[in-house]
Amino acid sequence: MVLKLYLDMLSQPGRALYIFLKVTKTPFEACAVSLLKGEHLSKKYEQECSKFKKLPVIHHDDFRLTESVGILRYIAREFPIEDHWYPKNSQKQALVDEYLEWHHSNIRQTCLDFFRNQWIIPLRTGKEPSAEESARHKKNMLRSLKDFERLFLSDMPFIHGNEISFSDLQAACEIEQPRFAGYDPRRDFPKIKVWIENVRQECNPYYDEAHQYLYDEAEKRITQ
Amino acid sequence: MVLKLYLDMLSQPGRALYIFLKVTKTPFEACAVSLLKGEHLSKKYEQECSKFKKLPVIHHDDFRLTESVGILRYIAREFPIEDHWYPKNSQKQALVDEYLEWHHSNIRQTCLDFFRNQWIIPLRTGKEPSAEESARHKKNMLRSLKDFERLFLSDMPFIHGNEISFSDLQAACEIEQPRFAGYDPRRDFPKIKVWIENVRQECNPYYDEAHQYLYDEAEKRITQ
């Protein structure tokens, strides 16, 4: 069965899945779809790729699946993935699930809102965001990052201990995203700084490859 | 091993888990924690129940777990739950996961935002919400409900076909919530009206039992 991953490296969960498939040596075909060009909103994409009109999505022969966390679980069942990424032990798996579910309404929501307000909307409208809106989004994001440090990071290298899991990858790819808008969480959160470097090292060269566009954009914002 | 569920019937995912455990005849002890009194924010709750300071949470002897979707998956592994609630077949399970992950940033986020703005904040502050904020939250919620009908409801009785799954219960308990604030989605969404009645019938008497407080509050808003 052929596995195809439709993604844009601009998208956090798309990068997480790309890195995961590469680092676990899972055979797949990457299919680029441009979010900025709105290719995911076309009738063609809806009919041929995903009724959700979202990314990332996989096709596993005739089976179509959206939502990165659901995709991760499906891949962990269908392919020979090393156990630490998504453990088969019931309690260990439950703790990875606990992070992945918490992620949506916390790190995902607040970092995405900040990024959208500071980067996507100005790019589309040509207008700078209002100071009030920027401050509100930044405050929410900082609260989430603080909760993330308190609840999930310790003196262990990764969220769930000595070995990396999909929780780390999903979180790291999201926490990189605010750099598009010139804010690097490493600056204010020392535990995040150490942990995100652990994730990067564990997943290179694919981590840097997937983040190259983001690194270039972050560089522009800092030198401007 | 003893299973304890800490919950408040005011909370959508708390109700979903309560109904699920009751209807599947899973032995458990329900422990009431009051969100309105802020009992989940106390030092005692943090130390003895959950470091997340959130509901619902389970204790399975010494094992603590938060996040309702993670809890569902753990219970489906640990107890003899009928397969249709969370199927073991890989592709069927993936489609339940797809809904449960999509839920967070769509139905969950928008119905909760509307409910919080219209019911929780006025209750805490004594001030009515601004017309502008109310309109914004309502617009987002209606968009999500429309997407929900388009993407997940068909002429089948439940989201994934002829049998109920945890997707139906998670979605229904959230879509009931705006009634606290006087808005009933059944009014504008005919497919939701039929489907939510299917879920209710399938899960009664526990569905009505868990929603009694909400029904009483909805009644007050309508007659005021």
Side-chain angles (χ1 to χ4, degrees):
Chain A
M1 302 238 282
V2 177
L3 179 68
K4 287 185 179 183
L5 171 66
Y6 294 84
L7 84 164
D8 186 328
M9 291 298 187
L10 179 63
S11 142
Q12 308 85 311
R15 291 198 298 271
L17 281 176
Y18 178 86
I19 296 164
F20 172 68
L21 291 172
K22 280 288 194 182
V23 85
T24 58
K25 298 186 172 50
T26 306
F28 74 107
E29 183 187 334
C31 308
V33 180
S34 171
L35 288 169
L36 288 181
K37 289 183 192 161
E39 288 174 356
H40 59 303
L41 301 174
S42 69
K43 206 75 200 164
K44 183 175 158 68
Y45 185 81
E46 184 182 10
Q47 285 167 349
E48 294 176 11
C49 286
S50 174
K51 64 179 180 177
F52 287 82
K53 299 194 250 180
K54 282 185 177 176
L55 295 169
V57 63
I58 58 164
H59 289 188
H60 195 196
D61 279 354
D62 289 340
F63 184 62
R64 296 177 182 189
L65 191 65
T66 184
E67 292 295 331
S68 61
V69 177
I71 293 172
L72 167 271
R73 291 195 185 96
Y74 177 75
I75 288 169
R77 288 193 298 273
E78 298 287 320
F79 294 87
I81 302 296
E82 281 183 277
D83 194 67
H84 60 89
W85 285 104
Y86 190 62
K88 289 195 175 45
N89 172 282
S90 182
Q91 293 195 349
K92 287 185 180 173
Q93 184 174 120
L95 293 176
V96 177
D97 278 345
E98 184 178 65
Y99 175 75
L100 292 173
E101 299 304 318
W102 181 88
H103 176 82
H104 288 282
S105 311
N106 294 278
I107 293 299
R108 169 68 175 163
Q109 187 181 328
T110 62
C111 291
L112 179 63
D113 283 348
F114 176 81
F115 160 67
R116 194 184 278 139
N117 187 64
Q118 300 294 111
W119 199 86
I120 292 279
I121 295 176
L123 196 72
R124 287 201 181 136
T125 62
K127 285 181 194 165
E128 284 301 301
S130 76
E132 194 190 350
E133 279 286 282
S134 295
R136 186 169 69 83
H137 288 300
K138 188 162 181 182
K139 189 180 163 196
N140 289 339
M141 181 176 65
L142 294 179
R143 196 196 57 234
S144 268
L145 291 167
K146 202 174 159 188
D147 285 345
F148 177 72
E149 272 206 346
R150 178 177 73 84
L151 293 166
F152 295 103
L153 298 185
S154 62
D155 53 358
M156 304 295 276
F158 299 105
I159 293 176
H160 302 293
N162 281 315
E163 289 183 295
I164 195 167
S165 79
F166 193 72
S167 301
D168 298 287
L169 207 41
Q170 188 81 331
C173 290
E174 197 71 49
I175 291 172
E176 293 281 2
Q177 199 77 350
R179 292 171 67 195
F180 269 110
Y183 176 71
D184 188 349
R186 290 167 182 79
R187 218 172 50 189
D188 300 321
F189 297 93
K191 279 190 186 173
I192 286 177
K193 185 178 177 180
V194 172
W195 159 81
I196 215 166
E197 188 56 28
N198 293 340
V199 179
R200 182 175 163 253
Q201 292 296 334
E202 193 75 13
C203 297
N204 258 343
Y206 310 111
Y207 192 92
D208 282 349
E209 182 198 336
H211 285 90
Q212 195 54 56
Y213 176 61
L214 185 148
Y215 295 159
D216 294 345
E217 285 295 314
E219 188 72 16
K220 276 192 237 167
R221 300 289 292 200
I222 288 157
T223 54
Q224 262 172 14
Chain B
M1 302 236 285
V2 176
L3 179 67
K4 288 185 178 182
L5 171 65
Y6 294 84
L7 84 162
D8 186 328
M9 292 297 187
L10 179 62
S11 140
Q12 308 86 309
R15 291 197 298 271
L17 281 176
Y18 177 86
I19 297 164
F20 173 68
L21 290 173
K22 281 288 195 183
V23 86
T24 58
K25 298 185 172 52
T26 306
F28 75 107
E29 182 186 334
C31 308
V33 181
S34 170
L35 287 169
L36 288 180
K37 289 181 190 160
E39 288 175 357
H40 60 301
L41 301 174
S42 71
K43 205 76 199 162
K44 183 174 158 66
Y45 185 82
E46 184 182 9
Q47 285 167 350
E48 294 176 11
C49 285
S50 174
K51 65 178 179 178
F52 287 82
K53 300 195 250 182
K54 283 186 177 175
L55 293 169
V57 62
I58 57 163
H59 289 189
H60 196 197
D61 279 355
D62 291 342
F63 184 63
R64 296 176 183 190
L65 191 64
T66 186
E67 292 294 331
S68 60
V69 177
I71 293 172
L72 167 270
R73 290 194 185 98
Y74 176 74
I75 288 169
R77 289 192 297 273
E78 297 287 320
F79 293 87
I81 303 296
E82 281 183 278
D83 194 69
H84 59 87
W85 286 103
Y86 190 63
K88 289 192 176 47
N89 172 281
S90 184
Q91 293 194 349
K92 287 184 181 175
Q93 184 173 122
L95 293 177
V96 177
D97 279 346
E98 183 178 67
Y99 176 76
L100 292 173
E101 299 305 319
W102 181 88
H103 176 81
H104 288 282
S105 311
N106 295 278
I107 293 298
R108 169 68 174 163
Q109 187 182 328
T110 61
C111 292
L112 179 62
D113 284 348
F114 176 81
F115 160 67
R116 192 185 276 139
N117 186 64
Q118 299 294 111
W119 198 87
I120 291 279
I121 296 175
L123 197 74
R124 288 205 178 129
T125 62
K127 285 181 196 163
E128 286 299 302
S130 77
E132 194 190 348
E133 279 288 281
S134 295
R136 187 169 67 84
H137 288 300
K138 188 161 182 183
K139 189 179 163 197
N140 289 338
M141 181 176 65
L142 294 179
R143 196 196 55 232
S144 267
L145 291 167
K146 200 173 161 189
D147 285 345
F148 177 72
E149 272 204 347
R150 180 178 70 85
L151 292 167
F152 295 104
L153 299 186
S154 61
D155 53 358
M156 304 295 275
F158 300 104
I159 292 176
H160 302 294
N162 281 315
E163 290 184 295
I164 194 168
S165 80
F166 194 73
S167 302
D168 297 287
L169 208 40
Q170 188 81 330
C173 290
E174 199 70 50
I175 290 172
E176 293 280 2
Q177 200 76 352
R179 292 172 67 194
F180 270 111
Y183 177 73
D184 187 348
R186 290 168 183 80
R187 223 173 45 191
D188 300 323
F189 297 93
K191 281 191 186 173
I192 286 178
K193 186 179 177 181
V194 172
W195 158 82
I196 215 166
E197 189 55 29
N198 293 340
V199 178
R200 182 176 163 253
Q201 292 296 336
E202 192 76 10
C203 297
N204 259 346
Y206 310 112
Y207 192 92
D208 282 349
E209 182 199 336
H211 285 91
Q212 196 54 55
Y213 176 60
L214 185 149
Y215 294 160
D216 293 346
E217 285 295 314
E219 189 70 17
K220 274 192 238 167
R221 299 289 293 200
I222 290 158
T223 55
Q224 265 171 14

